[in-house]
Amino acid sequence: MGSIGNGRSVSAVGIQMPSAESKMVLEPVALPATASPVPRWPRLGVVMVATRAAALVMALLSVSLMVSSKQQGILTIFGIEIPLDANWSFSYSLQFLVGMSAASSAYSLAHLLLIAHKVVKKVPMVPSRRQTWMLFAGDQVFSLAMMSAGSAAAAVCNLNRTGIRHTALPNFCKPLPRFCDLSAASIACAFLSCVFLATSTVIDVIWLSSLGDE
């Protein structure tokens, strides 16, 4: 309280203004942007489709070449002409190769159709963990089966070319060149299909490792 000359008391009210430094300034805070998940291997789906398509083409070529390997010829031994009739169905090993190539082509075609269905439905191409395990098992089974079938057929074709050691067995590929050449090409396609299926197995492993990190 303070006194003024006339004796009246006057109450002094002090109003304190906030200083300029204490003013609260609201500034927009930048929120952390949620980045969309980026796959570790962005082109892995394209590589997978390419390997599946290549395995399908090689398996179909193996079947078509082996089925068309038929030829008749004449083998001459000491002036004696012996008629020959070569057909892939006469050998169990070649039959096994045709059967496994047909099964492998059906397997690859089914997977490609599944991928096409996902693309039409606009579903991510990357399969689930359970589907990836199934593909991994299927790729291993068919790759090993194609290798086994190709090896068995290669042994038969090599026997036709070289004969049996210490035995006067002639070279049947001389009077039957078309049959031997088509059989060799079919076996080569079977081994290439095995390589592409093995590559698909590696892709399955990469997918499993990516799904395991999620």
Side-chain angles (χ1 to χ4, degrees):
M1 303 294 289
S3 60
I4 305 180
N6 54 5
R8 292 179 299 177
S9 61
V10 179
S11 60
V13 179
I15 301 176
Q16 184 177 2
M17 300 297 294
S19 61
E21 298 178 356
S22 63
K23 292 182 179 179
M24 183 179 296
V25 180
L26 298 178
E27 296 181 356
V29 180
L31 297 177
T34 57
S36 58
V38 180
R40 183 185 300 180
W41 307 91
R43 297 183 180 179
L44 192 60
V46 179
V47 177
M48 182 266 299
V49 173
T51 53
R52 293 289 179 185
L56 173 62
V57 171
M58 291 297 104
L60 290 176
L61 282 176
S62 179
V63 173
S64 60
L65 290 173
M66 186 59 72
V67 170
S68 61
S69 60
K70 302 176 183 179
Q71 189 177 8
Q72 294 180 351
I74 297 177
L75 179 64
T76 303
I77 300 178
F78 300 112
I80 302 175
E81 294 184 351
I82 302 175
L84 297 178
D85 186 9
N87 195 321
W88 65 272
S89 60
F90 296 161
S91 173
Y92 291 111
S93 298
L94 301 184
Q95 291 178 8
F96 179 53
L97 177 64
V98 171
M100 285 311 308
S101 297
S104 177
S105 61
Y107 170 75
S108 300
L109 179 61
H111 193 197
L112 288 175
L113 291 177
L114 179 62
I115 295 174
H117 177 73
K118 289 184 177 182
V119 171
V120 172
K121 296 294 183 180
K122 296 182 179 180
V123 179
M125 190 181 302
V126 179
S128 62
R129 188 175 184 84
R130 181 179 179 182
Q131 293 176 351
T132 306
W133 274 113
M134 294 177 62
L135 290 175
F136 175 73
D139 291 340
Q140 277 196 326
V141 168
F142 279 98
S143 62
L144 293 176
M146 289 296 293
M147 181 182 295
S148 176
S151 300
V156 173
C157 290
N158 186 52
L159 182 63
N160 291 334
R161 289 183 181 276
T162 60
I164 302 177
R165 185 177 297 179
H166 306 303
T167 304
L169 186 65
N171 184 0
F172 292 103
C173 287
K174 288 183 178 179
L176 303 170
R178 182 176 181 272
F179 172 79
C180 292
D181 292 341
L182 290 178
S183 300
S186 175
I187 295 170
C189 292
F191 280 120
L192 287 176
S193 179
C194 172
V195 171
F196 288 120
L197 287 172
T199 306
S200 299
T201 304
V202 176
I203 296 176
D204 297 334
V205 173
I206 297 175
W207 261 342
L208 285 173
S209 63
S210 300
L211 292 173
D213 296 338
E214 293 178 356

